[in-house]
Amino acid sequence: MKPPSLPFPAPPTALLRATALELVVLAGHALLYPTGIAGERHPGRDPADDGAEPARAALAPADRPPVVFLHGFIDNRSVFVLLRRSLARHGWTRLESLNYSPLTSDIRTAAELLDRHIEEICARTGHHRVDVVGHSLGGLIARYYVQRLAGDRRVRTLVTLGTPHAGTAVAPLAGALPIVRQMRRGSAPVEELRLPAPGCRTRFVSFWSELDRVIVPAEAACVDHPDLDAVNVRVTGIGHLALPVHPAVATAVRRALDDAEPTREAGAAPGTTPSAPAA
């Protein structure tokens, strides 16, 4: 379900607050970035390593699938440290991250890497399906895997945060990089995602913000496809970088992952309804 275009620009005060928050998030992420460069350990990992509270983790449903996190352009798994901690504290025990190289030149290549990574996770954990959370370009890679590489057989729910599903007009500013050009409106991978996808088994939940200055226009972060079971959730008051770290978004992501029933109606959660601010 695609929301209508916003009729009015965001108030200047809201934009200033969101910009200030983006700068704070950027500074914090710069400090955490080195911790996410190396790959993570998998075998025998204790849920407490992710900040889980053992009492709550013991109450987690046994059939919760693993959650796979996929970062955005020139980023790494450290962008999800707070979101992972939030999930772990509420009982998720299988949390995985994939780092792909900043030199990756093709969305298709990254999607193939994600395919191999998810197959390895399924073989190691015994689960047949996973949930995926992708930020920005990571969400686009995950969607390509689901729609074009038959990844819907493995991905139960795909949550995207500020992902340029319809392309973004900002991408030409860094157009010298092939994978950035692929995030433009009208690029080959973006156009491939407009092709029919009958019977797609994955449920999509896309979070977007009218103050996102990376996705232009902001509504391009919505999933708009007649064959897909998609929910678009508008987040107000924050920008692109804050989406993976804001508490209100984390709460809504947890609800999206716990909601196993498909729906074509917009979801609602505190701070992420079409009218309620996240900040």
Side-chain angles (χ1 to χ4, degrees):
M1 178 183 295
K2 184 177 180 180
S5 299
L6 298 176
F8 302 109
T13 54
L15 181 58
L16 286 174
R17 288 196 299 267
T19 301
L21 179 59
E22 290 285 274
L23 293 174
V24 171
V25 172
L26 180 61
H29 188 42
L31 294 175
L32 287 173
Y33 190 91
T35 68
I37 294 175
E40 61 185 0
R41 295 177 291 109
H42 298 301
R45 186 173 58 205
D46 189 325
D49 293 341
D50 286 316
E53 296 176 7
R56 291 187 181 179
L59 299 176
D63 58 349
R64 266 183 179 159
V67 178
V68 182
F69 297 93
L70 195 61
H71 61 79
F73 178 61
I74 58 171
D75 212 334
N76 63 37
R77 61 188 179 88
S78 64
V79 71
F80 293 113
V81 63
L82 295 181
L83 182 53
R84 284 179 64 125
R85 187 172 299 166
S86 174
L87 290 176
R89 285 177 173 169
H90 287 81
W92 275 263
T93 59
R94 297 178 181 89
L95 302 174
E96 311 270 349
S97 294
L98 171 63
N99 276 356
Y100 58 91
S101 170
L103 301 179
T104 301
S105 61
D106 188 9
I107 286 174
R108 303 171 187 88
T109 300
E112 291 168 358
L113 174 63
L114 178 61
D115 183 7
R116 295 193 295 272
H117 186 67
I118 288 177
E119 290 299 317
E120 185 274 329
I121 290 172
C122 290
R124 171 162 43 84
T125 65
H127 282 260
H128 297 293
R129 305 199 80 189
V130 303
D131 291 332
V132 178
V133 178
H135 179 227
S136 196
L137 174 59
L140 199 61
I141 292 169
R143 181 177 171 187
Y144 193 93
Y145 162 64
V146 165
Q147 278 187 243
R148 306 299 298 165
L149 301 182
D152 63 316
R153 75 192 187 282
R154 291 296 193 194
V155 179
R156 185 188 68 156
T157 300
L158 170 57
V159 174
T160 64
L161 309 172
T163 287
H165 290 288
T168 173
V170 170
L173 298 178
L177 301 171
I179 201 166
V180 175
R181 291 199 297 271
Q182 290 184 343
M183 288 189 282
R184 292 178 180 175
R185 303 190 74 174
S187 73
V190 168
E191 289 302 304
E192 285 183 56
L193 295 178
R194 295 169 60 88
L195 296 174
C200 183
R201 291 162 285 185
T202 298
R203 176 174 176 263
F204 294 79
V205 182
S206 176
F207 291 83
W208 68 287
S209 171
E210 82 281 9
L211 297 181
D212 192 328
R213 292 300 181 257
V214 174
I215 310 302
V216 178
E219 297 93 328
C222 297
V223 176
D224 182 22
H225 194 296
D227 294 333
L228 301 182
D229 177 17
V231 174
N232 294 304
V233 183
R234 176 182 165 191
V235 182
T236 62
I238 64 175
H240 188 77
L241 297 178
L243 284 167
V245 303
H246 199 281
V249 177
T251 298
V253 169
R254 293 197 309 268
R255 292 182 178 180
L257 296 180
D258 257 343
D259 182 8
E261 294 301 320
T263 178
R264 286 191 178 273
E265 297 184 2
T272 56
T273 66
S275 59

